[in-house]
Amino acid sequence: MSPTAGELAGARSEGGGVDVGRVFIGAGCNRVVNNVCWGHSGLVAFGAQNAVALFSPLRGEIVSTLPGHKATVNCTLWLPTKKDALQVRCRERHYLLSGSADGIIMAWKIDSGKGKWSHELQLPGMHKKGITCLAGRMVSDTVSIFASTSSDGTVVIWKMEDGPASVCSCKVSCLHSLSIGLKPMVSLSLAVLPGPGGHLILAMGGLDHKVHIYCGDQSGKFIKACELKGHSDWIRSLDFSLPVVMDSEEHSLFLVSSSQDRTIRIWKMTSNAVSFGNVASRKEDLGMISYIEGPLFVSGNTHYQVSLESLLVGHEDWVYSVEWQPPALLSGDEAHQPMSILSASMDKMMMIWKPEKNTGLWINSVTVGELSHSALGFYGGHWEPEGKSILAHGYGGSFHMWRDVGLGSENWQPQIVPSGHFAPVSDLTWSRRGEYLLSVSHDQTTRIFAPWRSQVSPGDVACWREIARPQIHGHDINCVAFIQGTGNHRFVSGADEKVSRVFEAPLSFLKTLQHATLLKPDNSEDFDDVQILGANMSALGLSQKPIYTHGVKETPSSISNDGPDSIETIPDAVPTVFTEPPVEDQLAWNTLWPETHKLYGHGNELFSICCDHEGKLIASSCKAQSAPVAEIWLWEVGTWKAVGRLQSHNLTVTQMEFSRDSAFLLSVSRDRHLLVFSIRKTDDGAEHHLIAKLEAHKRIIWACSWNPFSHEFATGSRDKTVKIWGVQDSSSVKLLATLPQLRDSVTALAWTGRDRARNAGLLAIGMDNGMMELWNVSEGRASTDSSSSGSSPLSVACMLRFDPLLCHVSTVHRLRWQKSDSSDEKSALQLASCGADHCVRVFEVRDV
């Protein structure tokens, strides 16, 4: 049964109890050339690891992710396409095709009028390797022809027939398969040839530097017509225009191609009735102004002359994408093709090319892009169906959108777009007061997400935005912990290096946060005491050096003698107080936090880290294959000295957590054991005592979490079980309950309290397949003896299994409940999750 619009944003337990709604999804775009498609449905589709993500350009946020693929999503295609302006009128049903790295193509259906999504079907497995491109067109109001190409050297032609509205289904059949050879095609474009018969033309390009033209009909039988030579490197993008009438000629079709040779070529195909006998006589008419003649080919009863219309040179790196501006629908049944081309390149530029009015020469009329040194360039550029906005996706998984806001002349301004990590997200944590979320990833960045409440109209819901990127590192970041207690915002992170790094919020972030969340700072947060405005990235990309408030005015003069900016120089950051959500360029350079301390001691890469709830101690662990290396280090906040080394595990400690009263430290490990240490803060540092070491599970223990109301905790393992334990009299640990075996390995746990009197709470469980569940845990009967904490039997019950549309599509790495002092059962809770699917998600949990 198809999920409704409400179910897209939430799911409800069958027996009542709790209701879960989607609040936020943050994800980066896969770094693949044909990964993004902007459709007439008003949504942009893109691959985010194994999921197909959809974002609304109007709100600038991701609205859903579609599960189903088992490998990385490489390409997407909306049907009707942007060129099907006639067929899309008054149409409420749209289809989305997605192709993945394992050769699978899936079809999805959206009813835009009702907001209903459904997984329509999986196409027959015609490809043996990854899909690299999808291209198609509607040939009637109900029939679409599309092509798919793969790195296995085949191109397959498909036919999609849309059923009547009452049936609400479609039928897809394979029409033809073309074997290309040893050098596969990586770009496709399909069009309807001008002239009678409705014949189709398919252009394909790839590794052999040629554009191959195939002609066929709606039966799907395509034969090779000709080759277009001229490019000197891989063909990366192809796009046909609609038929165009120019200078009283017959209808002409234009094909634009781009290549890694940094050039763009425009090919013209004219359906003149040219006989082969007078081709030689036309050679004499060639001059400087005439176009360069290309091959002739025949489709049906019509001859088509191919010529090179123009060669566009302007990009300084590989041109990954070219696209004609979508047609405009005129009065009647006529679509007008604007003569405008959008190109995107790895030189971080997008250009709009148009013919000059007087000479007809194609010139670059608009240039937008990144002028920073933060990353490589763009993998693709895309027009909005109405042609008023353009969208690029880049090497860092980021989107960049510009909109023409000019009245009399063009004025392209940056727009707000969603953002997120472009690699597995390894850990996340809420800030002290829970006003924002901090996540770390193997994309070597730390990011802060928060609801942007400023400028939100009454009654509207605040959209979550990425408001800062405190750390941009040279190693994959594995773990993070927010330092609790009073004072400025601080966190400590651990990466694939032997050093933990401590960061402190600069003044620019504190003011931006206050503007975004509309929350007054704590009494302990005194802006006057913060003397650091921001941070600069070091040359090696490891440390981040502070920029002091008293030194800001000296910055321009200090760099004025360095000459013009060049690729070898690293630009200075310009810390800024943002009054609207920052865009990618600003996030990458101007929102860094200064690094204040380094914690040396571990012998291998950091793997897990946590902080006690008083903000006095930090515990850290590293990857280990032996007991001496697997020790847990305790660090004192403030002096930043090592005050304890806890040895007992034999392999990597996968997670640690302090109890809510900071009296105990719980750790779980790959060695299948759990350890509980009693911790007592002293003047000299900390004292620790091992009170329990138990082989708790049959497989690796991935996760643990304390009950916030008592000394009870849960552990989750690869053996698909969750066990609940209790600390007895501060001297031993007892097993209290074992949940029924779950559907997959347990990789994340988070326990929050709901009713202190009944010791009741919710336990969130994340699994290796991306699924999540909520379990209610409470005491089976009231305990009258306060000394018998944990001795009462526990009542456990599954409250909710999340809808797959809400869940991750790969391993859930961490779950965190938002910190809340409220013990009101009816108050809403927020649950954050992150996973291997590059996603950060926030859910709202309410009682119903």
Side-chain angles (χ1 to χ4, degrees), residues 690-705:
L690 177 64
I691 65 172
K693 179 178 181 179
L694 300 173
E695 185 171 357
H697 292 267
K698 297 178 181 179
R699 304 289 298 276
I700 291 173
I701 307 174
W702 283 120
C704 63
S705 184

PDB file of all heavy atoms in Angstrom, residues 690-705:
ATOM      1  N   LEU A 690      37.227  -1.238  38.919  1.00  0.00           N
ATOM      2  CA  LEU A 690      36.448  -2.162  38.103  1.00  0.00           C
ATOM      3  C   LEU A 690      35.491  -2.939  39.002  1.00  0.00           C
ATOM      4  O   LEU A 690      35.920  -3.647  39.911  1.00  0.00           O
ATOM      5  CB  LEU A 690      37.375  -3.125  37.349  1.00  0.00           C
ATOM      6  CG  LEU A 690      36.690  -4.197  36.498  1.00  0.00           C
ATOM      7  CD1 LEU A 690      35.899  -3.560  35.357  1.00  0.00           C
ATOM      8  CD2 LEU A 690      37.726  -5.189  35.948  1.00  0.00           C
ATOM      9  N   ILE A 691      34.184  -2.804  38.730  1.00  0.00           N
ATOM     10  CA  ILE A 691      33.215  -3.535  39.553  1.00  0.00           C
ATOM     11  C   ILE A 691      32.573  -4.700  38.797  1.00  0.00           C
ATOM     12  O   ILE A 691      31.967  -5.573  39.426  1.00  0.00           O
ATOM     13  CB  ILE A 691      32.112  -2.595  40.086  1.00  0.00           C
ATOM     14  CG1 ILE A 691      31.270  -2.029  38.936  1.00  0.00           C
ATOM     15  CG2 ILE A 691      32.699  -1.465  40.911  1.00  0.00           C
ATOM     16  CD1 ILE A 691      30.053  -1.267  39.417  1.00  0.00           C
ATOM     17  N   ALA A 692      32.704  -4.754  37.484  1.00  0.00           N
ATOM     18  CA  ALA A 692      32.118  -5.884  36.754  1.00  0.00           C
ATOM     19  C   ALA A 692      32.774  -6.022  35.397  1.00  0.00           C
ATOM     20  O   ALA A 692      33.053  -5.027  34.713  1.00  0.00           O
ATOM     21  CB  ALA A 692      30.614  -5.681  36.583  1.00  0.00           C
ATOM     22  N   LYS A 693      33.035  -7.277  35.016  1.00  0.00           N
ATOM     23  CA  LYS A 693      33.475  -7.621  33.672  1.00  0.00           C
ATOM     24  C   LYS A 693      32.730  -8.878  33.262  1.00  0.00           C
ATOM     25  O   LYS A 693      32.900  -9.933  33.874  1.00  0.00           O
ATOM     26  CB  LYS A 693      34.983  -7.853  33.598  1.00  0.00           C
ATOM     27  CG  LYS A 693      35.469  -8.230  32.192  1.00  0.00           C
ATOM     28  CD  LYS A 693      36.976  -8.418  32.122  1.00  0.00           C
ATOM     29  CE  LYS A 693      37.413  -8.766  30.706  1.00  0.00           C
ATOM     30  NZ  LYS A 693      38.877  -8.943  30.597  1.00  0.00           N
ATOM     31  N   LEU A 694      31.853  -8.765  32.271  1.00  0.00           N
ATOM     32  CA  LEU A 694      30.979  -9.868  31.884  1.00  0.00           C
ATOM     33  C   LEU A 694      31.067 -10.105  30.383  1.00  0.00           C
ATOM     34  O   LEU A 694      31.129  -9.154  29.592  1.00  0.00           O
ATOM     35  CB  LEU A 694      29.527  -9.553  32.240  1.00  0.00           C
ATOM     36  CG  LEU A 694      29.190  -9.304  33.718  1.00  0.00           C
ATOM     37  CD1 LEU A 694      27.750  -8.845  33.853  1.00  0.00           C
ATOM     38  CD2 LEU A 694      29.424 -10.571  34.531  1.00  0.00           C
ATOM     39  N   GLU A 695      31.093 -11.387  29.995  1.00  0.00           N
ATOM     40  CA  GLU A 695      30.933 -11.723  28.588  1.00  0.00           C
ATOM     41  C   GLU A 695      29.433 -11.683  28.305  1.00  0.00           C
ATOM     42  O   GLU A 695      28.701 -12.641  28.561  1.00  0.00           O
ATOM     43  CB  GLU A 695      31.511 -13.094  28.266  1.00  0.00           C
ATOM     44  CG  GLU A 695      31.473 -13.404  26.777  1.00  0.00           C
ATOM     45  CD  GLU A 695      32.239 -14.661  26.406  1.00  0.00           C
ATOM     46  OE1 GLU A 695      32.860 -15.272  27.283  1.00  0.00           O
ATOM     47  OE2 GLU A 695      32.205 -15.028  25.213  1.00  0.00           O
ATOM     48  N   ALA A 696      28.993 -10.559  27.784  1.00  0.00           N
ATOM     49  CA  ALA A 696      27.562 -10.250  27.764  1.00  0.00           C
ATOM     50  C   ALA A 696      26.842 -10.817  26.549  1.00  0.00           C
ATOM     51  O   ALA A 696      25.641 -11.090  26.625  1.00  0.00           O
ATOM     52  CB  ALA A 696      27.370  -8.739  27.810  1.00  0.00           C
ATOM     53  N   HIS A 697      27.530 -10.972  25.432  1.00  0.00           N
ATOM     54  CA  HIS A 697      26.892 -11.418  24.195  1.00  0.00           C
ATOM     55  C   HIS A 697      27.768 -12.444  23.494  1.00  0.00           C
ATOM     56  O   HIS A 697      28.951 -12.627  23.844  1.00  0.00           O
ATOM     57  CB  HIS A 697      26.631 -10.231  23.264  1.00  0.00           C
ATOM     58  CG  HIS A 697      25.591  -9.276  23.769  1.00  0.00           C
ATOM     59  ND1 HIS A 697      24.263  -9.360  23.433  1.00  0.00           N
ATOM     60  CD2 HIS A 697      25.696  -8.194  24.594  1.00  0.00           C
ATOM     61  CE1 HIS A 697      23.592  -8.385  24.015  1.00  0.00           C
ATOM     62  NE2 HIS A 697      24.443  -7.658  24.726  1.00  0.00           N
ATOM     63  N   LYS A 698      27.187 -13.076  22.474  1.00  0.00           N
ATOM     64  CA  LYS A 698      27.907 -14.100  21.721  1.00  0.00           C
ATOM     65  C   LYS A 698      28.690 -13.509  20.554  1.00  0.00           C
ATOM     66  O   LYS A 698      29.538 -14.204  19.977  1.00  0.00           O
ATOM     67  CB  LYS A 698      26.916 -15.134  21.190  1.00  0.00           C
ATOM     68  CG  LYS A 698      26.181 -15.894  22.282  1.00  0.00           C
ATOM     69  CD  LYS A 698      25.177 -16.870  21.683  1.00  0.00           C
ATOM     70  CE  LYS A 698      24.419 -17.607  22.776  1.00  0.00           C
ATOM     71  NZ  LYS A 698      23.407 -18.543  22.210  1.00  0.00           N
ATOM     72  N   ARG A 699      28.404 -12.262  20.199  1.00  0.00           N
ATOM     73  CA  ARG A 699      29.103 -11.607  19.097  1.00  0.00           C
ATOM     74  C   ARG A 699      29.558 -10.224  19.560  1.00  0.00           C
ATOM     75  O   ARG A 699      29.359  -9.832  20.701  1.00  0.00           O
ATOM     76  CB  ARG A 699      28.181 -11.473  17.863  1.00  0.00           C
ATOM     77  CG  ARG A 699      27.587 -12.777  17.347  1.00  0.00           C
ATOM     78  CD  ARG A 699      28.639 -13.663  16.675  1.00  0.00           C
ATOM     79  NE  ARG A 699      29.214 -13.035  15.508  1.00  0.00           N
ATOM     80  CZ  ARG A 699      28.669 -13.057  14.295  1.00  0.00           C
ATOM     81  NH1 ARG A 699      27.494 -13.651  14.101  1.00  0.00           N
ATOM     82  NH2 ARG A 699      29.279 -12.489  13.270  1.00  0.00           N
ATOM     83  N   ILE A 700      30.168  -9.469  18.644  1.00  0.00           N
ATOM     84  CA  ILE A 700      30.655  -8.118  18.961  1.00  0.00           C
ATOM     85  C   ILE A 700      29.537  -7.278  19.579  1.00  0.00           C
ATOM     86  O   ILE A 700      28.403  -7.283  19.109  1.00  0.00           O
ATOM     87  CB  ILE A 700      31.163  -7.428  17.680  1.00  0.00           C
ATOM     88  CG1 ILE A 700      32.446  -8.103  17.175  1.00  0.00           C
ATOM     89  CG2 ILE A 700      31.425  -5.946  17.917  1.00  0.00           C
ATOM     90  CD1 ILE A 700      32.891  -7.572  15.829  1.00  0.00           C
ATOM     91  N   ILE A 701      29.864  -6.549  20.623  1.00  0.00           N
ATOM     92  CA  ILE A 701      28.913  -5.607  21.217  1.00  0.00           C
ATOM     93  C   ILE A 701      29.200  -4.231  20.611  1.00  0.00           C
ATOM     94  O   ILE A 701      30.282  -3.678  20.786  1.00  0.00           O
ATOM     95  CB  ILE A 701      29.046  -5.556  22.750  1.00  0.00           C
ATOM     96  CG1 ILE A 701      28.963  -6.965  23.351  1.00  0.00           C
ATOM     97  CG2 ILE A 701      27.968  -4.669  23.351  1.00  0.00           C
ATOM     98  CD1 ILE A 701      29.218  -7.004  24.838  1.00  0.00           C
ATOM     99  N   TRP A 702      28.192  -3.690  19.922  1.00  0.00           N
ATOM    100  CA  TRP A 702      28.387  -2.429  19.212  1.00  0.00           C
ATOM    101  C   TRP A 702      27.915  -1.218  20.003  1.00  0.00           C
ATOM    102  O   TRP A 702      28.390  -0.110  19.771  1.00  0.00           O
ATOM    103  CB  TRP A 702      27.646  -2.450  17.867  1.00  0.00           C
ATOM    104  CG  TRP A 702      28.292  -3.236  16.784  1.00  0.00           C
ATOM    105  CD1 TRP A 702      27.772  -4.302  16.120  1.00  0.00           C
ATOM    106  CD2 TRP A 702      29.581  -3.020  16.199  1.00  0.00           C
ATOM    107  NE1 TRP A 702      28.638  -4.771  15.171  1.00  0.00           N
ATOM    108  CE2 TRP A 702      29.766  -4.002  15.203  1.00  0.00           C
ATOM    109  CE3 TRP A 702      30.612  -2.104  16.432  1.00  0.00           C
ATOM    110  CZ2 TRP A 702      30.923  -4.082  14.425  1.00  0.00           C
ATOM    111  CZ3 TRP A 702      31.759  -2.187  15.657  1.00  0.00           C
ATOM    112  CH2 TRP A 702      31.909  -3.153  14.662  1.00  0.00           C
ATOM    113  N   ALA A 703      26.949  -1.392  20.896  1.00  0.00           N
ATOM    114  CA  ALA A 703      26.286  -0.217  21.465  1.00  0.00           C
ATOM    115  C   ALA A 703      25.930  -0.433  22.928  1.00  0.00           C
ATOM    116  O   ALA A 703      25.744  -1.557  23.390  1.00  0.00           O
ATOM    117  CB  ALA A 703      25.017   0.097  20.663  1.00  0.00           C
ATOM    118  N   CYS A 704      25.824   0.682  23.647  1.00  0.00           N
ATOM    119  CA  CYS A 704      25.386   0.660  25.039  1.00  0.00           C
ATOM    120  C   CYS A 704      24.729   1.998  25.367  1.00  0.00           C
ATOM    121  O   CYS A 704      24.997   3.009  24.710  1.00  0.00           O
ATOM    122  CB  CYS A 704      26.539   0.368  25.993  1.00  0.00           C
ATOM    123  SG  CYS A 704      27.843   1.633  25.981  1.00  0.00           S
ATOM    124  N   SER A 705      23.864   2.003  26.403  1.00  0.00           N
ATOM    125  CA  SER A 705      23.208   3.243  26.810  1.00  0.00           C
ATOM    126  C   SER A 705      22.676   3.086  28.227  1.00  0.00           C
ATOM    127  O   SER A 705      22.129   2.040  28.584  1.00  0.00           O
ATOM    128  CB  SER A 705      22.057   3.585  25.846  1.00  0.00           C
ATOM    129  OG  SER A 705      21.476   4.828  26.186  1.00  0.00           O
TER     130      SER A 705
END
